[in-house]
Amino acid sequence: MKAELRLWLRLLTTTTTIEAEIRRRLRTQFNTTLPRFDLLAALDRAPDGLTLGEVSARMMVTNGNVTGLATRLESEGLVARRVDPQDRRAVRLTLTTEGQAVFDTQSAAHGSWIKEMFAGLAPEEREALHRLLGRAKSALQTALEAEEAL
Amino acid sequence: MKAELRLWLRLLTTTTTIEAEIRRRLRTQFNTTLPRFDLLAALDRAPDGLTLGEVSARMMVTNGNVTGLATRLESEGLVARRVDPQDRRAVRLTLTTEGQAVFDTQSAAHGSWIKEMFAGLAPEEREALHRLLGRAKSALQTALEAEEAL
DNA sequence: GAGAATTGTTTTAGGCTTCAAGTATGTTGA
DNA sequence: TCAACATACTTGAAGCCTAAAACAATTCTC
């Protein structure tokens, strides 16, 4: 098997394992899901809220997807939907007080999970991995741009 | 933000970007999906076929999920379902002749996509990344086992 | 051997995701 | 001005995915 393929499979399984564990803990400890958490996180970083389109761009998912997520989170009372007065086509999403409190708790736990999962890696290894992933990302970017230009 | 979190986010976006591109190409070039491709790949590696349970373990997804995937692929004529004569509870899945041909084509393309996407990385970088991901995986393993023992 | 536990699969209910089509609002230029 | 185009969102159909419950066949144990 080609070296590139082996690298890709290892990258994939590492990421998948971590992600599965995060999903599992979000479910068992907070009865929530990763997409819900990600949406709250996006709103947490935006004090004035975000339109659905902005959320969709930040989360790299489709508009229709965000519509459904927002509807569920709204019905749970964690986010508020409100038509933008400036542009009546746009819907602005904000964290409710409860949503902010819920996110703060979940976010703290999430941070400590990640820290725990990488605890076995020496700081130099962590840095080297971070750097190489950066290299891989930019190599990838180049490859995809070349592809697109065809 | 913590160094661990930055590392995780970079790992996640790198993987997600590659995976999204693979999904996109499978869809546009072969009108198929990654789970379908993964199931065919699992069968390709098993000359005598696999039971649904074995597929489910290899793909790290639930049994119910494989039932649905198998049903769709069966209706497309790419896999065959047949009760195992040894253990009549089990269903054995095999590639049909058409399924094998389809997979061979898709697999060749998939391999060249991966090669292309990592082309910008020097062989030493590729190796270093592979090694560090191995370290991360085993560190992770240790952390999760420690967690489980609680 | 009969009953109990285990194993392999399917079903059910619900959430996530996409694409494509539809609705409403906003912008622009002849 | 107003028709054409663009933008923001929603809806609908289909597939992917999970957990839990239901079902069926096998194995274990007494």
Side-chain angles (χ1 to χ4, degrees), chain A residues 34-87:
Chain A
L34 190 49
R36 277 167 158 91
F37 175 76
D38 286 342
L39 177 32
L40 297 186
L43 292 181
D44 178 63
R45 283 184 231 106
D48 298 340
L50 296 171
T51 66
L52 293 196
E54 288 166 340
V55 171
S56 153
R58 275 170 183 63
M59 294 181 68
M60 304 202 297
V61 298
T62 59
N63 280 354
N65 190 348
V66 175
T67 295
L69 272 173
T71 301
R72 285 183 289 273
L73 284 170
E74 191 183 22
S75 80
E76 292 170 16
L78 304 185
V79 306
R81 235 193 195 121
R82 165 167 71 73
V83 170
D84 188 318
Q86 262 68 56
D87 182 345

Side-chain angles (χ1 to χ4, degrees), chain B residues 33 35-36 61-62 65 72 87-89:
Chain B
T33 66
R36 278 166 158 91
V61 297
T62 59
N65 190 352
R72 285 184 290 272
D87 182 346
R88 296 208 323 281
R89 292 168 305 179

Side-chain angles (χ1 to χ4, degrees), chain A residues 14-33:
Chain A
T14 306
T15 302
T16 303
T17 305
I18 297 174
E19 196 177 319
E21 182 65 14
I22 293 174
R23 286 180 194 271
R24 194 183 68 73
R25 294 186 187 189
L26 282 174
R27 188 174 62 79
T28 58
Q29 298 184 27
F30 298 114
N31 191 33
T32 190
T33 65

Side-chain angles (χ1 to χ4, degrees), chain A residues 61-137:
Chain A
V61 298
T62 59
N63 280 354
N65 190 348
V66 175
T67 295
L69 272 173
T71 301
R72 285 183 289 273
L73 284 170
E74 191 183 22
S75 80
E76 292 170 16
L78 304 185
V79 306
R81 235 193 195 121
R82 165 167 71 73
V83 170
D84 188 318
Q86 262 68 56
D87 182 345
R88 298 210 322 282
R89 292 169 305 177
V91 177
R92 195 157 277 277
L93 226 51
T94 50
L95 284 177
T96 61
T97 309
E98 188 191 349
Q100 183 70 60
V102 163
F103 175 73
D104 288 344
T105 305
Q106 294 177 356
S107 179
H110 178 267
S112 74
W113 299 338
I114 298 299
K115 192 172 172 190
E116 170 198 344
M117 291 191 222
F118 285 107
L121 227 51
E124 316 83 67
E125 291 180 311
R126 227 182 37 217
E127 257 176 65
L129 186 48
H130 190 263
R131 195 187 63 75
L132 282 168
L133 285 170
R135 288 276 305 123
K137 251 176 92 171

Side-chain angles (χ1 to χ4, degrees), chain B:
Chain B
M1 191 170 56
K2 291 193 194 70
E4 288 90 352
L5 194 48
R6 267 188 298 121
L7 173 55
W8 164 236
L9 291 180
R10 184 168 284 186
L11 183 58
L12 183 59
T13 60
T14 306
T15 303
T16 303
T17 305
I18 297 174
E19 195 178 320
E21 182 66 14
I22 293 174
R23 285 179 194 271
R24 194 183 67 75
R25 293 186 188 189
L26 282 173
R27 187 174 63 79
T28 59
Q29 296 184 28
F30 298 115
N31 191 34
T32 189
T33 66
L34 190 49
R36 278 166 158 91
F37 175 77
D38 286 343
L39 176 33
L40 296 185
L43 293 181
D44 179 64
R45 282 183 231 108
D48 298 339
L50 296 170
T51 66
L52 292 196
E54 288 167 339
V55 171
S56 153
R58 275 169 183 62
M59 293 181 70
M60 304 202 295
V61 297
T62 59
N63 281 355
N65 190 352
V66 174
T67 295
L69 270 173
T71 301
R72 285 184 290 272
L73 284 170
E74 191 183 22
S75 79
E76 291 169 17
L78 303 186
V79 307
R81 234 193 195 118
R82 161 167 74 71
V83 170
D84 189 318
Q86 263 67 55
D87 182 346
R88 296 208 323 281
R89 292 168 305 179
V91 176
R92 195 157 276 278
L93 226 50
T94 50
L95 284 178
T96 61
T97 309
E98 188 192 348
Q100 183 69 60
V102 162
F103 175 72
D104 289 344
T105 306
Q106 294 177 357
S107 179
H110 177 267
S112 74
W113 298 339
I114 299 300
K115 191 171 171 192
E116 171 198 342
M117 291 192 226
F118 285 107
L121 228 51
E124 316 83 68
E125 291 180 313
R126 229 182 35 220
E127 259 177 63
L129 185 50
H130 190 264
R131 194 186 63 74
L132 283 168
L133 285 171
R135 287 276 305 123
K137 251 176 89 171
S138 71
L140 180 61
Q141 219 63 40
T142 308
L144 296 189
E145 276 160 21
E147 183 71 18
E148 205 176 354
L150 292 184

